[in-house]
Amino acid sequence: MNYELIKGRPMRLMWSQRDPSLRKSGVGNVFIKNLDKSIDNKSLYDTFSVFGNILSCKVATDERNSSKGYGFVHFETQEAADQAIQKVNGMLLNDKKVYVGRFMTRKERMETLGHPATRFTNIYVKKLRRGKPQRGG
């Protein structure tokens, strides 16, 4: 029954995690990007299940149920997640090289990578006059 369609959307069956600390801790949570549009929840599950017990697995989709090209896999243990990152990161899935890494919250990404506006390096100037440069005064 898992991943069968109900009203055009795949059904996901998984064990209930009554303790929210497991979900919120980020332990065993993996982020995958650059997924081919044909990869669905089931194929993502099948790809990553060889590394350990999966608590949750999801490909992000838009309102038309089309893949957004990224997804998440939550493993029962951090060791399984580390093994999946090591083995699948940079691998070709459906002829696309995927990135697999540890899931980071938005706050963690901002602290680690900085705000995108602080990394801004391009400038666009329009309506420049041709000819002799003028000095401002």
Side-chain angles (χ1 to χ4, degrees), residues 84-96:
I85 291 168
Q86 182 184 14
K87 300 280 186 191
V88 184
N89 187 31
M91 196 169 105
L92 292 177
L93 295 180
N94 287 15
D95 296 325
K96 288 189 83 171

Side-chain angles (χ1 to χ4, degrees), residues 6-7 12 20 32 37 50 54 57 70 72 85 91 95 109 114 119-120 136:
I6 296 177
K7 293 187 177 186
R12 294 187 316 144
I32 305 100
K37 300 290 184 188
V50 297
I54 294 176
C57 177
Y70 66 93
F72 307 91
I85 291 168
M91 196 169 105
D95 296 325
R109 282 195 313 271
R119 295 191 319 265
F120 180 70

Side-chain angles (χ1 to χ4, degrees), residues 36-113:
D36 186 73
K37 300 290 184 188
S38 66
I39 293 179
D40 60 2
N41 293 329
K42 177 151 179 36
S43 56
L44 191 66
Y45 181 91
D46 292 342
T47 301
F48 283 90
S49 63
V50 297
F51 300 107
N53 189 31
I54 294 176
L55 301 176
S56 174
C57 177
K58 180 166 178 61
V59 173
T61 57
D62 60 16
E63 62 279 348
R64 294 185 317 264
N65 206 32
S66 297
S67 171
K68 290 184 175 181
Y70 66 93
F72 307 91
V73 177
H74 193 175
F75 288 97
E76 189 172 33
T77 64
Q78 186 60 45
E79 292 77 25
D82 292 339
Q83 188 179 17
I85 291 168
Q86 182 184 14
K87 300 280 186 191
V88 184
N89 187 31
M91 196 169 105
L92 292 177
L93 295 180
N94 287 15
D95 296 325
K96 288 189 83 171
K97 186 176 180 178
V98 295
Y99 165 83
V100 181
R102 187 180 75 80
F103 170 76
M104 293 177 12
T105 64
R106 179 173 282 126
K107 183 179 177 184
E108 288 174 319
R109 282 195 313 271
M110 295 296 252
E111 290 171 358
T112 304
L113 306 172

